[in-house]
Structures are given as C-alpha cells and as structure tokens.
C-alpha cells in the first residue's frame, strides 16, 4: 500500500492522517465540509510543531510529511489511483452506506475500502458495495497518535487477504493490532468501554455523586488514565450516544439503553471538548 485516501478529516480522520504521514505514506484527504478540509493542514502542522518542540521531529522530516499530504474537495478526484480508503466520517449508518456505495463506484477494483466505524456492522457497510470481500473495519482509538490499539474487523464476506493487508499496515504504523473474529456490535473495546461510560452517566443522573467525584473515583480506584465522564467528553458525547444506540438496537437488550442524561446533553449541544462543554467545561 502506497497511497491512501482518508475520508473525513475530523478528530479521528485527522489523527489517522497524522500517523499515516509519519509512517511514510502518501495521503489524500477528503471531507464533505469545506471548513473541515481547510482546517486540516494547520491542525496537522500544529501537531508536528509539538513533536518538534519535544525534539521528536525536525524541519526536514516535517516538511516531507506535509508534502505527502494532499487535500481534495471532490471525492471523485480524491478516489483516483488509491490503494486503500480509510473512511472516518460521522458515526451514522446511512451516511456510511451512501459513502461506500460512491467509493465502490469511484475506486479501482483492487482498492480496499476500510471503515473506522466504532460500532456499525462491517457486513452492513460492505453490502453497499460490489466488493464485500475487499471491505473491512480498521478501528483506531482516540487520540490516534497516542493510543496503541487498532482493531481489524472482517464482515461476513471479507477476504483474509484484505484483513491481512490492513493488519500489516497497522503494524508498520507501530500499532498493536487485535483481530476480531466476528462482526459484532462495538467489536471488543467499545462493547466493554462505552457501556461503562454510560453507567457513569447513570450514576451522575441518579445523583449518587458529582461528575468530579465520579471521575476522581475511577482514576484513583480503577487506575484509569482519565475518568469516564472526561473520556466521554474526549470521544464526543454524540459519538458515545451513537455507539450506545447501535448496541441497544442491534442486541435489543435493555442493558444497553442509553442514559437519558446523555441524550439530553447531546440534544443541548454539550458534546464535550469539541463543542467547548460537556460534563466539564473546556
Ligand atoms: N493528540 C496527540 N497527542 C496527544 C493528545 C492528542 N489529542 N493528547 C495527549 N497527547 C500526548 C501528549 O502530547 C503527551 O505526549 P508526550 O508523552 O510525548 O509528551 C502524551 O500524549 C500524554 O499527554 P498528557 O501528558 O497531556 O496527558 P495524559 O498523560 O493525561 O494523557 C491521554 C492524555 C493520552 C488522553 C490519557 O488521558 C489517556 O490515555 N486517556 C484515555 C484515552 C482513551 O481511553 N481513549 C480511547 C477512547 S475510545 C475510542 O477512541 C474508540 C471509539 O470508537 C470511541
């Protein structure tokens, strides 16, 4: 794999692009929102500046990485001559299905199409294409440059060769790759982590204690690097809600019902760090 297209340049897409550039890959970036695409190079430039301040990169390296990044406001042009697409758009099933349908029409027949979905079925996404054997899940974690894990998830029709190629890429990027056997909602980490965050919101909702105390307790009592409510703010409360909703809809099990408070926070625009306020102010 030499040339990679990343679709979606938000929090996850931006982080994925950064690690791909640092791994020596040429990256095309596309986002349907012009402002998000325009903000990408300055955002990545800032991250590289931080590496320079820490003595982890020099100007020559940084210029080389930035030269390997092109942004494109047309999906048609962006998809030409690409070995792998990593889709990191908003966690919305209809959006992802329509994107994969378009990508399938635009990309060369050998191009692998991967989704960074946090919970949506890879089989469902792959069914929007005529190449389900070349569609896989490549699930990175936030912040992508820091978090070691990459989950690789096959759909029902995904070829072993497709997963193997994505695993090899992840290993070249220095990630710890975990292969998932079955396309089940939330895969491994989000199946366990996101209901834990939802439970923390329920503890808050029930007034058992305050947000600061819940996070302090989980940091000091379970050795988590940050509390569950701060983590929800980092992931984005809208994304956490979307994942809970997928778990609930897919399993039809009440243990996955999203906390009412989480729904209300999202309705109020308290999305976490990205909106300036969530369970905590930023
Ligand atoms: N981008 C790049 N680097 C970052 C970063 C970011 N957004 N945030 C922190 N870092 C780097 C810092 O620069 C620092 O690097 P150095 O060691 O080289 O100096 C290092 O990470 C540690 O950062 P800090 O000292 O500022 O703060 P910290 O020690 O508290 O770590 C944290 C911050 C890495 C976010 C840590 O609190 C943590 O690991 N939190 C848990 C994160 C987590 O669980 N993520 C998974 C979310 S679930 C998910 O992503 C899946 C999904 O589908 C929703």
């Amino acid at each position: 794999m030499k040339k990679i297209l990343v679709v979606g340049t938000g929090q996850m897409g931006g982080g994925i692009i950064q690690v791909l550039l640092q791994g020596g890959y040429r990256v095309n970036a596309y986002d349907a929102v012009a402002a998000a695409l325009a903000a990408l190079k300055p955002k990545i430039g800032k991250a590289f500046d931080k590496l320079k301040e820490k003595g982890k990169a020099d100007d020559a390296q940084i210029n080389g990485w930035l030269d390997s990044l092109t942004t494109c406001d047309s999906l048609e042009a962006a998809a030409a001559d690409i070995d792998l697409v990593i889709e990191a758009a908003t966690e919305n099933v209809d959006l992802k299905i329509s994107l994969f349908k378009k990508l399938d029409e635009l990309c060369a027949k050998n191009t692998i199409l991967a989704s960074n979905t946090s919970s949506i079925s890879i089989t469902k996404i792959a069914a929007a294409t005529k190449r389900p054997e070349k569609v896989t899940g490549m699930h990175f974690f936030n912040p992508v440059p820091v978090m070691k894990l990459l989950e690789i998830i096959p759909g029902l029709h995904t070829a072993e060769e497709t997963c193997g190629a994505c695993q090899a890429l992840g290993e070249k990027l220095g990630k710890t790759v975990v292969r998932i056997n079955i396309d089940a909602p939330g895969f491994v980490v989000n199946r366990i982590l996101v209901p834990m965050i939802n439970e923390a919101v329920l503890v808050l909702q029930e007034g058992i204690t305050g947000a600061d105390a819940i996070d302090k307790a989980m940091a000091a009592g379970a050795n988590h690097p940050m509390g569950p409510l701060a983590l929800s703010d980092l992931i984005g409360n809208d994304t956490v809600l979307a994942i809970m909703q997928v778990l609930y809809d897919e399993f039809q099990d009440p243990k996955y019902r999203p906390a009412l408070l989480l729904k209300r926070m999202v309705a109020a625009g308290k999305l976490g760090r990205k909106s300036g306020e969530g369970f905590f102010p930023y």
Side-chain angles (χ1 to χ4, degrees), residues 40-72:
L40 178 68
K41 278 200 174 180
K43 183 168 73 176
I44 294 209
K46 253 192 198 164
F48 288 156
D49 285 346
K50 278 196 186 151
L51 290 181
K52 190 178 151 189
E53 279 165 29
K54 290 180 197 164
K56 291 183 177 174
D58 59 30
D59 283 330
Q61 264 175 320
I62 292 174
N63 291 336
W65 292 336
L66 290 173
D67 283 348
S68 300
L69 173 62
T70 39
T71 57
C72 197

Side-chain angles (χ1 to χ4, degrees), residues 166-190:
C166 293
Q167 171 162 3
L169 169 66
E171 284 165 356
K172 277 196 187 148
L173 298 175
K175 296 295 179 196
T176 300
V177 179
V178 169
R179 292 280 289 265
I180 309 294
N181 295 331
I182 294 172
D183 174 25
F187 319 129
V188 169
V189 172
N190 281 345

Side-chain angles (χ1 to χ4, degrees), residues 54 56 118 139-143 145-147 190 193 225-226 231 234-235 239 243:
K54 290 180 197 164
K56 291 183 177 174
S118 5
H139 185 214
F140 292 85
F141 290 78
N142 187 11
V146 181
M147 301 304 285
N190 281 345
L193 180 71
M226 68 205 300
L231 181 56
L234 174 72
I235 294 169
T239 303
I243 297 168

Side-chain angles (χ1 to χ4, degrees), residues 48-276:
F48 288 156
D49 285 346
K50 278 196 186 151
L51 290 181
K52 190 178 151 189
E53 279 165 29
K54 290 180 197 164
K56 291 183 177 174
D58 59 30
D59 283 330
Q61 264 175 320
I62 292 174
N63 291 336
W65 292 336
L66 290 173
D67 283 348
S68 300
L69 173 62
T70 39
T71 57
C72 197
D73 61 4
S74 141
L75 187 59
E76 194 167 13
D81 189 24
I82 287 291
D83 301 309
L84 166 71
V85 179
I86 303 177
E87 170 274 320
T90 309
E91 192 68 357
N92 174 301
V93 67
D94 295 333
L95 174 74
K96 291 196 193 269
I97 284 175
S98 95
L99 257 174
F100 272 73
K101 194 169 184 301
K102 270 191 216 151
L103 287 166
D104 186 43
E105 287 160 8
L106 295 173
C107 292
K109 68 176 190 328
N110 283 336
T111 307
I112 292 178
L113 306 180
S115 176
N116 179 57
T117 177
S118 5
S119 58
I120 296 168
S121 161
I122 302 302
T123 308
K124 203 183 264 182
I125 293 173
T129 74
K130 295 193 179 75
R131 64 179 89 191
E133 73 289 352
K134 292 209 163 286
V135 178
T136 185
M138 272 185 100
H139 185 214
F140 292 85
F141 290 78
N142 187 11
V144 181
V146 181
M147 301 304 285
K148 284 258 171 261
L149 182 63
L150 172 65
E151 288 177 326
I152 302 279
I153 311 103
L156 221 54
H157 294 293
T158 310
E160 168 53 32
E161 198 188 0
T162 303
C163 291
C166 293
Q167 171 162 3
L169 169 66
E171 284 165 356
K172 277 196 187 148
L173 298 175
K175 296 295 179 196
T176 300
V177 179
V178 169
R179 292 280 289 265
I180 309 294
N181 295 331
I182 294 172
D183 174 25
F187 319 129
V188 169
V189 172
N190 281 345
R191 167 95 174 259
I192 299 168
L193 180 71
V194 177
M196 191 250 338
I197 292 174
N198 190 58
E199 201 61 36
V201 182
L202 286 168
V203 169
L204 180 68
Q205 183 182 303
E206 288 168 23
I208 291 167
T209 189
D212 277 325
I214 291 168
D215 272 21
K216 198 169 152 190
M218 288 303 285
N223 249 2
H224 289 191
M226 68 205 300
L229 299 174
L231 181 56
S232 190
D233 281 349
L234 174 72
I235 294 169
N237 296 321
D238 50 342
T239 303
V240 172
L241 175 58
I243 297 168
M244 281 310 292
Q245 202 61 58
V246 169
L247 292 173
Y248 186 63
D249 292 344
E250 289 266 54
F251 287 116
Q252 296 280 306
D253 185 332
K255 77 177 176 180
Y256 295 116
R257 81 256 174 265
L260 193 60
L261 176 60
L262 183 63
K263 290 187 182 175
R264 295 293 184 265
M265 301 257 312
V266 172
K270 294 186 177 193
L271 307 183
R273 287 194 192 199
K274 63 185 167 193
S275 72

